Amino acid sequence: MVSYIYKGCGISISSELPLPELVPGDATQADLSIRIGPVPDQPTAQVTDIGPGYMASAHEYIFRLPNVAGYYARDGKEIWIEPAKNADAESIRHFLLNQVLPQILFQRNLIPLKASGIIYNNQVVLFVGRSGAGKSTLLASLKQRGYQVFTDDMCVMRHNAKGEIEILAGYATIKLWQDAYKILQLGKPDESMRIRPQLPKYNTFIHEEFLSYPYQAATTIFLLEATIQKSDYTAGVSYASLFKAHTDSLHGKSFNKRQLVFSVLSTFLKNKTAYRIRRSVHQDSIDEMVKFIETKIC
C-alpha cells in the first residue's frame, strides 16, 4: 500500500491514510508509522487504565469507536487503524488526530496541549483553553489582522538539550465552527472541508504557513473560557490557577506520564504572566478580545 510522508507535532510520519491536516515531509525514516490493519482486543502488557472505548498499558493505547474505527497505538512508533464498514474517511482521520495521535506523543515523552498561538517578536503567544473556548475563532481573527499563525487547537511541548521548554506546532489547519464564518465575515464555508460529515465545523488548511521548527514561548499567556455571562478580562492569575488551566487543557489523558507533565509544565510556567479571558457566547466579542490582547503583547 502507498505510504504518504508528513511532518507535524514535532515528528515525521509515514501513513497509509492520506492526512491533509499535516504538511508533506521528506524523511527517509519516519518517527511514526500509521498503517491499516487489525487492532488487538487488548494490550499485550498489563492494562493500567480502562474507560469508555479505551484501554491502556504502559506503552500501548487501544481506542474503539463504533461505526468509525479501532485504533492501536504502541511505543510511540506505530498506529494501526481498523476502519469500520462504510466509515467515512473524515471521521477516521478526525479521531486519529484528536484522540490517538496525542497518545503517541505522550508515549514519546512529548506533551500535547489544547492551545492556539501566534508568532510575535519571534516567540509564541499562546491561547490556552478547553474545546469551545474560542481559540480558533480568535486565531482566525488575528490572522485577518496580519499576525503569523503558529498553531491551532494543539501545540506540543518538550524539554530541549538546555532543559528549557520549546513548543512545536501541531497541525496545518484552522478548524472553525459554522457560526465563526459569520462572525469573521468569511462567507459560506466550503462543505467539502467539513471535519466530519455530520459536524458543522470546517478545515482551513495553512500548509504554506506551517512552521515545523521549535519556538520559545512569550512570557504572556492568555487563558480562554466560554461563559454565558458578560465577557470579562482578569489579570494576575495565580500560579495554581495557571497550572490547573494547563493540566485541564492537556490533549488527552496523560496516564503514566503525570510526573513528566508536572516537570514540563512547572518549568514552562516559571515567570509567566497570565490573563484570563471569559468570552460571552452571546456577544460578538472577538474584536474586543483582539484589542485587549494587542495592548498586552505590544
Side-chain angles (χ1 to χ4, degrees):
M1 185 175 287
V2 174
S3 287
Y4 305 87
I5 304 298
Y6 298 105
K7 57 185 176 181
C9 304
I11 60 175
S12 58
I13 300 169
S14 169
S15 176
E16 294 179 352
L17 186 72
L19 300 172
E21 294 85 354
L22 299 174
V23 293
D26 54 10
T28 56
Q29 186 70 37
D31 299 312
L32 170 66
S33 174
I34 300 174
R35 300 173 184 170
I36 306 298
V39 168
D41 292 330
Q42 60 184 26
T44 58
Q46 181 180 357
V47 173
T48 56
D49 205 314
I50 188 168
Y54 76 85
M55 286 188 219
S57 69
H59 304 286
E60 299 164 281
Y61 177 76
I62 295 173
F63 175 65
R64 292 185 182 276
L65 191 66
N67 303 316
V68 178
Y71 304 86
Y72 177 49
R74 182 172 64 182
D75 296 325
K77 297 179 179 179
E78 59 180 329
I79 296 174
W80 288 89
I81 304 172
E82 185 176 356
K85 186 178 180 180
N86 299 323
D88 62 273
E90 293 83 1
S91 293
I92 294 172
R93 290 201 320 267
H94 175 70
F95 289 99
L96 166 67
L97 297 176
N98 288 275
Q99 187 79 25
V100 183
L101 186 54
Q103 291 305 318
I104 284 286
L105 298 174
F106 277 122
Q107 291 171 4
R108 297 182 67 88
N109 292 326
L110 304 172
I111 306 301
L113 187 72
K114 291 180 181 177
S116 298
I118 58 170
I119 299 296
Y120 186 80
N121 283 345
N122 208 37
Q123 293 182 317
V124 180
V125 178
L126 282 181
F127 312 110
V128 179
R130 296 181 179 183
S131 298
K135 301 184 300 295
S136 299
T137 305
L138 173 61
L139 183 70
S141 181
L142 288 163
K143 183 177 185 295
Q144 287 180 324
R145 290 163 169 80
Y147 289 93
Q148 169 70 57
V149 170
F150 177 67
T151 191
D152 178 41
D153 191 48
M154 186 172 80
C155 71
V156 179
M157 294 183 174
R158 69 184 183 193
H159 283 108
N160 62 19
K162 298 179 180 179
E164 302 166 332
I165 302 303
E166 56 188 20
I167 304 175
L168 298 121
Y171 307 128
T173 183
I174 299 176
K175 295 184 286 188
L176 294 174
W177 290 99
Q178 193 171 48
D179 61 352
Y181 281 78
K182 182 177 180 181
I183 292 171
L184 299 171
Q185 299 180 356
L186 294 174
K188 291 185 178 180
D190 182 346
E191 289 298 324
S192 69
M193 300 297 282
R194 280 184 184 246
I195 64 172
R196 296 188 68 195
Q198 63 272 59
L199 198 65
K201 196 173 188 179
Y202 303 83
N203 280 309
T204 298
F205 296 134
I206 52 171
H207 295 129
E208 307 228 337
E209 301 170 52
F210 185 77
L211 302 170
S212 59
Y213 38 89
Y215 277 82
Q216 299 292 312
T219 57
T220 302
I221 299 173
F222 297 90
L223 307 178
L224 270 59
E225 298 176 5
T227 176
I228 60 173
Q229 308 296 327
K230 182 180 179 181
S231 296
D232 68 79
Y233 306 85
T234 305
V237 179
S238 70
Y239 180 85
S241 295
L242 185 58
F243 192 91
K244 184 177 186 304
H246 281 71
T247 55
D248 287 348
S249 298
L250 291 174
H251 216 304
K253 293 180 66 103
S254 58
F255 296 120
N256 63 334
K257 300 294 183 177
R258 292 180 180 88
Q259 186 173 351
L260 174 66
V261 169
F262 180 83
S263 173
V264 169
L265 291 183
S266 296
T267 303
F268 172 70
L269 293 174
K270 284 181 181 177
N271 303 316
K272 292 290 190 293
T273 299
Y275 297 90
R276 190 186 306 277
I277 300 176
R278 292 185 175 92
R279 178 184 67 90
S280 172
V281 297
H282 299 311
Q283 279 186 284
D284 185 6
S285 53
I286 294 298
D287 288 342
E288 184 181 345
M289 289 169 62
V290 169
K291 289 177 183 177
F292 176 80
I293 288 166
E294 288 181 324
T295 64
K296 300 305 178 185
I297 66 173
C298 296

